[in-house]
Amino acid sequence: MMSSPLPEAWQCAGVPSLPAIGPDVVDEFARTIYGRTPEGGQLTDLVLRSRDNGVLSGAADRLRHRAVIACPLGNLELDTVTHLPAGASAEHPVPVVVALNFKSNEEPSAKVLKAGYAVLTVDYQQIEPDDPAPAAPGVRALFPTESWGAVAAWAWGLSRLLDIAGSIDGVDPEGAIVLGHSRLGKAALWAGAQDERFAVTVTNGSGCCGASLFRHPGGEDIAAITTKFPHWFVPSFSTYAGNESSLPVDQHQLLASIAPRRVYVASAEDDAWADPVGEYLAVVAARPAFGPNGIGYHVRPGTHDLLEEDWLHALDFAKR
Ligand code: GCU
């Protein structure tokens, strides 16, 4: 689906070819960019702390839980929020969107809930602090000797949110959507590539190391991202700074690795730092890997943000 007319300049830009996608492609992304997300992390306790009826449109519901996840070197505790649409119940569970958030569990809009999905979310920094030298360690300190960056840690957290979803009455973990914006869109993409339980992966404004092609010039590049955010990736990723053409992979292959499961990419026209043209070209290049309606895309006017309209386009795609 291409839901908006594309700016004319985009239509003549180059589309890279798509090499055959084998099972080793995800390993290559782990090795060069994100690091491997380790197996493990077991949900051992889920305590309901509060339940507020009617916080959104009428009868929507909001549940706050404390989840305990046992990891090899200790426990991680998460304060999750589950937004349930009206009518969701143990007898009538609804599919779920799992999403990390930036601002301590911000609310999805009433229209998003009306689309019929639950939204399960946690503050991303409860999983791993977004800091090259964090004051307190995150989940990476709870696993022995793995080399993984913060993006991979957040992707691990998205999979744990899906574990949690399976223990909440009113939520059906089958057919789950993983969704994220910007740095969390990078994490959503990496979670979708690694965890086959996610039926739909939605990556919004994810830019460099998200949906956009390294080999399309424009916006953020490897030098910029690894200088400012060295903790997001494996340390050796910075050796590709200024040398994008020597990377063994590009992001259309990551999108394609998710097929036959479905992917939705969203851009904003004025989000130059995320290189919307590079995001669009990655979608076009990945398309041969997908069936009809397997990959969707929209570009909207405006700047870097995850707007209600972005949610609604993505959920509309997911429902097809
Ligand atoms: C910075 C960073 C981007 C990232 C964005 C965000 O702009 O350079 O790569 O996507 O922050 O997460 O908002």
Side-chain angles (χ1 to χ4, degrees), residues 179 202 204 264 266-267 298 300 305-315:
L179 176 146
V202 179
N204 187 89
Y264 192 79
S267 309
H298 78 254
R300 58 157 173 80
D305 207 347
L306 175 62
L307 302 179
E308 181 182 75
E309 64 179 287
D310 298 316
W311 276 89
L312 296 178
H313 282 309
L315 296 182

Side-chain angles (χ1 to χ4, degrees), residues 66-69 75-79 122 126-127 142:
R66 166 69 54 86
V68 179
I69 318 246
N75 287 344
L76 184 74
E77 299 199 349
L78 300 178
D79 296 304
V122 71
Q126 281 201 354
I127 292 156
L142 299 178

